[in-house]
């Protein structure tokens, strides 16, 4: 069962010195292991922003580590669009696997010695992952923000359903009906300017950084958005930010 912010915050405040917020992993298991190990040394709770798999060299190991964090109560992950698509594929839905993305993950899971058990555990964990999570002045979401996210909790078991309500914004950000030359949807960032003063949104989903560091956008309304996807599994590297209490 997914922990609500109301239940989660008091426990991690008592047991941890803060949070380690980790960007999109995309199968970069070695970097993810380093992030987790460093968090344990600093007594930080790991909060990963979604897109655990696809493209990287070891997607099964990445899923194992994410599930181990959940089982031990030392971390959780936010639902990303790649996670949602992986669960659909594992559940038997007709999806088109990108040969460099989901196709890689599915092939690696088929070859893994614990493949059947890992698939079942991943389906369960993804199904229960929150589509967003607010902890005080921080909002954690994979794709994009909407002001209603500050007052409405994530729907239960968002990963098991067709995205509805605010979930499409959480998974995919803000998009138009057009497709870019590279085949990806055309994305907008108008939502950034609706983040109110005093609120910081931590998200991933797209590589907005130009220098390899998390990209910070300041909202017209006074808040901030911090984009942590710096290309892990896609030729870049994994980024994380530590947030002490």
């Amino acid at each position: 069962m997914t922990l609500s912010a109301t239940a989660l915050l008091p426990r991690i405040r008592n047991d941890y010195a803060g949070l380690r917020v980790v960007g999109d992993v995309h199968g970069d298991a070695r970097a993810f292991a380093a992030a987790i190990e460093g968090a344990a040394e600093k007594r930080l709770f790991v909060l990963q922003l979604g897109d655990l798999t696809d493209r990287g060299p070891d997607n099964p190991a990445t899923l194992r580590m994410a599930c181990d964090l959940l089982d031990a109560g030392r971390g959780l992950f936010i639902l990303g669009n790649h996670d949602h698509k992986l669960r659909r594929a594992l559940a038997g839905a007709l999806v088109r696997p990108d040969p460099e993305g989901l196709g890689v993950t599915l092939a690696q899971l088929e070859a893994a010695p614990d493949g059947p058990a890992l698939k079942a555990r991943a389906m369960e964990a993804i199904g229960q992952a929150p589509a967003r999570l607010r902890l005080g002045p921080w909002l954690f979401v994979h794709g994009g923000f909407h002001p209603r996210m500050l007052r409405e909790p994530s729907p239960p078991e968002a990963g098991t359903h067709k995205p509805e309500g605010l979930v499409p914004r959480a998974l995919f950000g803000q998009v138009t009906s057009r497709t870019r030359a590279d085949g990806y949807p055309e994305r907008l960032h108008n939502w950034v300017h609706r983040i109110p003063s005093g609120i910081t949104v931590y998200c991933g989903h797209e590589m907005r950084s130009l220098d390899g560091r998390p990209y910070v956008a300041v909202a017209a309304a006074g808040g901030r958005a911090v984009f942590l996807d710096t290309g892990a599994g896609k030729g870049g590297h994994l980024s994380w930010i530590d947030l002490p209490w």
Side-chain angles (χ1 to χ4, degrees), residues 149-181:
M149 293 178 180
L150 295 175
R151 57 183 185 272
E152 298 179 18
S154 174
E157 299 186 340
T160 65
H161 305 298
K162 179 180 178 181
E164 297 178 332
L166 294 177
V167 176
R169 174 65 61 88
L171 295 185
F172 305 107
Q174 187 177 9
V175 298
T176 71
S177 59
R178 296 183 291 272
T179 301
R180 302 185 318 201

Side-chain angles (χ1 to χ4, degrees), residues 145-218:
F145 168 80
H146 189 283
R148 283 168 46 204
M149 293 178 180
L150 295 175
R151 57 183 185 272
E152 298 179 18
S154 174
E157 299 186 340
T160 65
H161 305 298
K162 179 180 178 181
E164 297 178 332
L166 294 177
V167 176
R169 174 65 61 88
L171 295 185
F172 305 107
Q174 187 177 9
V175 298
T176 71
S177 59
R178 296 183 291 272
T179 301
R180 302 185 318 201
D182 60 7
Y184 287 94
E186 183 180 58
R187 293 168 178 164
L188 302 175
H189 302 99
N190 299 346
W191 58 266
V192 169
H193 295 294
R194 302 182 69 185
I195 303 171
S197 178
I199 297 295
T200 299
V201 175
Y202 292 91
C203 60
H205 188 52
E206 55 183 314
M207 294 171 57
R208 298 198 66 193
S209 174
L210 298 177
D211 60 6
R213 294 178 293 181
Y215 174 75
V216 179
V218 179

Side-chain angles (χ1 to χ4, degrees), residues 18-108:
L19 304 175
R20 170 158 289 185
V21 187
V22 181
D24 302 34
V25 178
H26 285 297
D28 190 344
R30 178 179 292 184
F32 193 31
I36 293 170
E37 181 180 351
E41 292 173 355
K42 294 184 176 182
R43 207 163 56 84
L44 299 172
F45 186 86
V46 177
L47 204 162
Q48 196 277 327
L49 294 173
D51 280 8
L52 289 165
T53 62
D54 297 350
R55 295 186 178 274
D58 199 342
N59 293 283
T62 300
L63 289 170
R64 289 187 201 101
M65 286 186 281
C67 291
D68 287 347
L69 285 172
L70 288 170
D71 293 343
R74 296 189 295 115
L76 60 81
F77 65 91
I78 302 296
L79 183 66
N81 58 305
H82 284 257
D83 311 306
H84 191 275
K85 189 174 183 179
L86 172 60
R87 190 189 186 282
R88 288 175 55 219
L90 294 177
L94 291 176
V95 299
R96 183 188 302 175
D98 176 355
E100 296 182 355
L102 179 59
V104 171
T105 301
L106 295 176
Q108 290 178 356

